[in-house]
Amino acid sequence: MLGTFLIGRCARGAGVATLFCAASLVADAAHAARHGAKRAASHAATPALDAQAIDNAQFSAPSGKGRARAPSAATITKEEILLDRADFSPGEIDGVAGSNDKKALAAFQQANGLKPTGSLDAQTWDRLTATSSEPALMEYEIQPADVKGPFNKTIPQSFEKKAELKTLNYTNPRELLAAKFHVAPALLTRLNPKASFETAGTKIVVPNVASKPTHDRVAEVVVDKKALTVRALDADGKLISFYPASVGSSDRPSPSGTWHVRSIVEDPTYHYSPKLKFKGVKTQKPFDIAAGPLNPVGTTWIGLGDDYGIHGTPNPESIGRTQSHGCVHLTNWDAQALAKMIHRGTKVEFIN
């Protein structure tokens, strides 16, 4: 079910030029609650995932004329971590060979002179594992700042209710830690089934993606509206980074042609104007929604002008699975990474 697509403005600080942006929300709260309950029940029944199995995971090619078996969850998790570390983001690392994983894998294959099938094979596995000698997972000691908060107990669906909050932070330490290490909260629990994420000093196992190199050499960003991807290229057209994305719908499409980055804002505030007449918003007065990782535009805003931008999202699991009201959505960590590599004037090309 597609969400209701809302458009608003983002700004930070008095006197700062107002920025426009888009955010997608699920319109049917009852449907969202049922879907969340089903996911929770599914995750509760999912067995733990052994960390050593992930670090030792290998790809098994079929022998003879036998059909290849689907890669194990351990192999897929290791593959996603290696892709993320190589700057071919699979979005949220979840241990599932989903559409975002396939897109990242195809981009990696193409960049390495392999047939871009989006499916894991022996040659791709060898090339991927050769990109790094570091373990796929690492031990992390939960820090006092990870559990200190402040946390929001819940984040309401209503924009007006969101505007009543002083911040839109994570709802618990597990959610914060999952975002820090680019992993789905459910997978983080599978990796640490007996751990208390609420206690500083607890040692947990996390994807080894925390330290990512940043480059200030992106000459062009290419948004493929059909493929739902964003590519960052250098001056020679070489792919530097790849990200799965959500883009505009047929009713509210993303733009076409050539644009340029006009602004980059960290921790943006979301501003609603009544002239936008959002469905479900009753007030006739403008209001702001405070900054925070669960703000409608996440932690980063890259403004392109004329109401369009590239930005983060409070729902990383939705990337590539929902549509926007014209803007380009990335996970918060991918939007942050891209923002560090571009500058005002960077070319952004919308294709397809």
Side-chain angles (χ1 to χ4, degrees):
M1 174 180 175
L2 295 179
T4 297
F5 307 114
L6 308 180
I7 184 168
R9 293 181 294 172
C10 308
R12 184 182 66 172
V16 179
T18 302
L19 309 172
F20 290 80
C21 61
S24 65
L25 295 175
V26 177
D28 186 347
H31 170 83
R34 291 194 300 270
H35 182 65
K38 289 180 181 179
R39 288 181 62 187
S42 175
H43 295 331
T46 303
L49 189 58
D50 183 69
Q52 187 174 359
I54 294 173
D55 271 328
N56 295 335
Q58 297 295 327
F59 176 80
S60 299
S63 57
K65 297 182 179 180
R67 295 182 60 183
R69 293 186 297 177
S72 67
T75 297
I76 295 171
T77 301
K78 183 175 181 177
E79 172 221 302
E80 289 182 318
I81 294 170
L82 291 172
L83 284 169
D84 185 288
R85 192 185 298 167
D87 294 324
F88 291 82
S89 173
E92 193 177 56
I93 296 169
D94 58 8
V96 178
S99 58
N100 290 339
D101 172 74
K102 293 179 182 298
K103 292 174 188 176
L105 196 59
F108 176 84
Q109 290 168 328
Q110 187 172 36
N112 284 271
L114 304 175
K115 186 177 180 180
T117 62
S119 297
L120 192 60
D121 54 44
Q123 192 174 15
T124 303
W125 180 259
D126 290 344
R127 192 69 59 88
L128 186 59
T129 54
T131 61
S132 176
S133 60
E134 294 184 19
L137 299 171
M138 67 180 187
E139 185 179 79
Y140 176 77
E141 183 175 319
I142 297 177
Q143 299 298 303
D146 296 327
V147 300
K148 181 180 180 181
F151 296 103
N152 289 80
K153 290 184 178 180
T154 59
I155 301 295
Q157 291 282 333
S158 164
F159 265 35
E160 291 142 308
K161 291 294 184 181
K162 282 183 169 72
E164 295 175 6
L165 303 177
K166 293 182 179 180
T167 59
L168 278 89
N169 291 315
Y170 296 111
T171 59
N172 55 62
R174 185 185 75 145
E175 195 174 30
L176 180 152
L177 290 164
K180 178 180 286 189
F181 296 104
H182 310 174
V183 61
L187 181 56
L188 184 61
T189 296
R190 289 187 68 188
L191 292 170
N192 304 277
K194 298 180 180 180
S196 170
F197 300 107
E198 312 282 337
T199 306
T202 300
K203 293 182 179 180
I204 59 174
V205 175
V206 298
N208 187 9
V209 298
S211 300
K212 294 187 66 174
T214 58
H215 311 279
D216 188 22
R217 56 191 176 97
V218 170
E220 181 180 3
V221 176
V222 178
V223 180
D224 190 319
K225 296 189 291 184
K226 182 177 180 180
L228 304 179
T229 62
V230 171
R231 297 170 183 258
L233 312 177
D234 67 11
D236 297 322
K238 180 181 178 181
L239 182 62
I240 295 174
S241 291
F242 169 90
Y243 312 103
S246 292
V247 300
S249 65
S250 57
D251 292 334
R252 297 287 184 175
S254 295
S256 299
T258 301
W259 297 69
H260 293 86
V261 173
R262 292 191 178 185
S263 61
I264 301 172
V265 182
E266 296 179 3
D267 298 320
T269 295
Y270 187 96
H271 179 74
Y272 176 80
S273 172
K275 69 179 182 180
L276 300 169
K277 299 181 180 179
F278 286 175
K279 183 178 179 180
V281 178
K282 298 179 180 179
T283 182
Q284 296 302 310
K285 296 181 180 180
F287 59 82
D288 290 340
I289 297 177
L294 301 189
N295 175 287
V297 292
T299 58
T300 306
W301 166 261
I302 301 169
L304 306 178
D306 290 349
D307 305 2
Y308 296 112
I310 301 171
H311 62 78
T313 176
N315 304 304
E317 73 282 357
S318 72
I319 294 299
R321 298 178 175 89
T322 60
Q323 295 171 309
S324 77
H325 199 174
C327 286
V328 179
H329 299 188
L330 306 177
T331 65
N332 278 341
W333 52 87
D334 286 343
Q336 290 169 345
L338 179 61
K340 291 178 181 178
M341 297 188 293
I342 60 176
H343 51 80
R344 291 185 63 182
T346 299
K347 179 182 176 182
V348 179
E349 189 78 22
F350 285 82
I351 64 173
N352 291 331

